[in-house]
């Protein structure tokens, strides 16, 4: 069982850790955002070409 | 997936009941010798039916089709009637009983009236001596029996439909009130070349619309042999080749059209599509520019095609202009899924993720079953850092299309990020499997 002093230290440690984790997550998100165009140029992630003729091919002689 | 079969193995009533029970939407094409008919369905109900080179209403058409006991059928899901075509909603079950009765009766009628080029004339002596009052149908038919009109002409001029005309003639013949006097000139001589071209052309278009591409190509090649450089034939031969992913053959057919026909925007736009599939973006660009200059600027499908080509060439401003033009041209109508796809993609590629998400969210609300739209929406969420929504979006897409490799790869990325490594490995493996299969 922790005494009052130790409990306070642990809370401070958790508080510090929380802010560090938050900073790291934000940094990761920023890095992801900066990579947006690249993610959308990767055809292993994005479907680039519409897979059907409908919508691109005209099937009436006009 | 298309359903094909032989009418000797599965009769039309069987097929109709199957499509009705399955609440199918699409087009059932039937072919018998040189005849072709089609029946459109929406949620299992018959909405429209027609016979090529004949003019009958939907019910009469289905009854005629019931008499076809040989030939083939092909059901193409998702195909709907052309705009402007009169549609209705008939429960196929309601036609089965009357259809069966007519088939039985027609077997008897066909023994006395084996073809539609027979000419009948009234037997005046018997008619004068006849004391039985004529039926309302006989009152219509008898005055038309002039010794010149054949059965086809009687059907056309009476407006009664071929079953009623056949049945009426059968009754008159049985009572000896009329007699066969010969066959029409149409029956004796071969059809004029122009008529044959029209017949094969109409058949080809009908085959094409119902997804019977081999049969359509056969008919258009016949048109070509009868009428060299027929513009409709070369256009449709190009379309058949596109459907069969034969890009070079499609280009050849469209170029033949361009060399001999009036320049058409549709021909150049489709040619541009085929060039892109072959990887020749330069020629694709030249062709789409021609399409736009020949009236394609006013066509939303051609503008969408131009946008897709511009995206492939990394000309995102040009793509945006074409997409905006297409959207304006559709007006109050909902744009097709392809437009949403390219509009969302172009927004994302220009780093406007919020707009990409807005466009693709609207898209999946309208086209819920299109997994490609769900996938790209998920990537947009992922790129914006909204990983939970990305994962939910991918799960939704996988419900619609469990074999799309991109969905599995993106799902694996999400699982990896969440520390669910074993599940991620499995998802990567599935992505690889489906990627190899496709």
């Amino acid at each position: 069982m922790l005494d009052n002093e130790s409990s306070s230290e642990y809370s401070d440690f958790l508080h510090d850790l929380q802010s560090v984790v938050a900073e790291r997550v934000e940094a990761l998100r920023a890095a992801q955002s900066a990579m947006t165009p690249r993610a959308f140029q990767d055809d292993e992630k994005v479907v680039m070409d519409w897979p059907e003729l409908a919508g691109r091919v005209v099937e009436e002689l006009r | 997936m298309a359903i094909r079969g032989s009418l000797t193995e599965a009769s039309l009533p069987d097929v109709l009941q199957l499509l009705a029970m399955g609440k199918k939407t699409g087009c059932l094409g039937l072919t018998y010798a040189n005849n072709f008919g089609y029946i459109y369905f929406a949620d299992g109900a018959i909405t429209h039916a027609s016979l090529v080179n004949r003019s009958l209403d939907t019910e009469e058409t289905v009854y005629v089709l019931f008499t076809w006991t040989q030939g083939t059928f092909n059901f193409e899901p998702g195909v709907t009637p052309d705009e402007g075509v009169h549609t209705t909603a008939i429960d196929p079950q309601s036609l089965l009983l009357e259809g069966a009765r007519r088939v039985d009766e027609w077997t008897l009628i066909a023994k006395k009236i084996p073809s539609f080029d027979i000419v009948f004339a009234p037997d005046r002596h018997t008619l004068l001596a006849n004391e039985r009052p004529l039926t309302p149908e006989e009152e219509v038919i008898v005055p038309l029996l002039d010794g010149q009109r054949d059965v086809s002409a009687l059907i056309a001029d009476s407006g009664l439909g071929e079953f009623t005309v056949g049945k009426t003639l059968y009754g008159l013949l049985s009572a000896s009130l009329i007699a066969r006097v010969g066959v029409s000139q149409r029956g004796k001589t071969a059809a004029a070349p122009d008529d044959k071209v029209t017949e094969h052309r109409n058949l080809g278009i009908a085959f094409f619309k119902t997804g019977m591409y081999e049969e359509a190509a056969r008919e258009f090649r016949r048109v070509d042999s009868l009428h060299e450089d027929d513009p409709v034939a070369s256009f449709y031969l190009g379309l058949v080749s596109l459907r069969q992913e034969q890009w070079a053959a499609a280009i050849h057919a469209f170029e033949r059209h361009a060399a001999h026909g009036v320049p058409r925007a549709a021909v150049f736009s489709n040619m541009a599509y085929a060039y892109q599939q072959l990887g020749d973006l330069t020629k694709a660009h030249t062709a789409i520019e021609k399409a736009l200059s020949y009236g394609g600027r006013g066509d939303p499908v051609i503008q969408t095609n131009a946008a897709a080509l511009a995206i492939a060439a990394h000309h995102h401003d040009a793509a945006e202009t074409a997409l905006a033009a297409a959207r304006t041209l559709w007006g109050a109508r909902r744009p097709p899924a392809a437009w949403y796809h390219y509009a969302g993609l172009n927004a994302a590629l220009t780093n406007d993720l919020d707009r990409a998400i807005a466009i693709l969210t609207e898209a999946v609300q309208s086209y819920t079953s299109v997994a490609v739209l769900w996938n790209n929406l998920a990537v947009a969420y992922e790129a914006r850092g909204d990983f939970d929504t990305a994962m939910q979006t991918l799960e939704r897409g996988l419900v619609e299309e469990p074999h799309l490799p991109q969905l599995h790869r993106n799902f694996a990325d999400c699982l990896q990020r969440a520390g669910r490594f074993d599940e991620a490995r499995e998802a990567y493996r599935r992505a690889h499997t489906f990627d190899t299969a496709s």
Side-chain angles (χ1 to χ4, degrees), chain A residues 17 27-28 30-32 35 41 45 47 49 57-58 60:
Chain A
L17 190 65
L28 197 61
Q32 286 287 344
M35 286 168 62
Q41 281 162 3
K45 287 184 75 66
V47 179
D49 281 325
V57 165
V58 183
E60 279 170 45

Side-chain angles (χ1 to χ4, degrees), chain B residues 391-412:
Chain B
M391 201 149 177
Q392 288 160 15
T393 308
L394 291 166
E395 282 172 327
R396 185 64 185 78
L398 283 165
V399 170
E400 299 299 340
E401 175 54 79
H403 304 302
L404 188 68
Q406 287 92 339
L407 281 170
H408 288 283
R409 194 171 306 281
N410 292 321
F411 198 58

Side-chain angles (χ1 to χ4, degrees), chain B residues 311-360:
Chain B
I311 291 170
H314 309 292
H315 298 151
H316 299 295
D317 289 346
E320 203 55 47
T321 306
L323 286 163
R327 186 69 192 86
T328 306
L329 288 164
W330 266 299
R333 288 173 293 164
R334 184 179 66 178
W339 180 88
Y340 283 106
H341 169 75
Y342 286 110
L345 189 63
N346 204 47
L349 287 169
T350 50
N351 215 5
D352 192 346
L353 285 177
D354 289 341
R355 201 160 66 87
I357 287 170
I359 291 166
L360 292 170

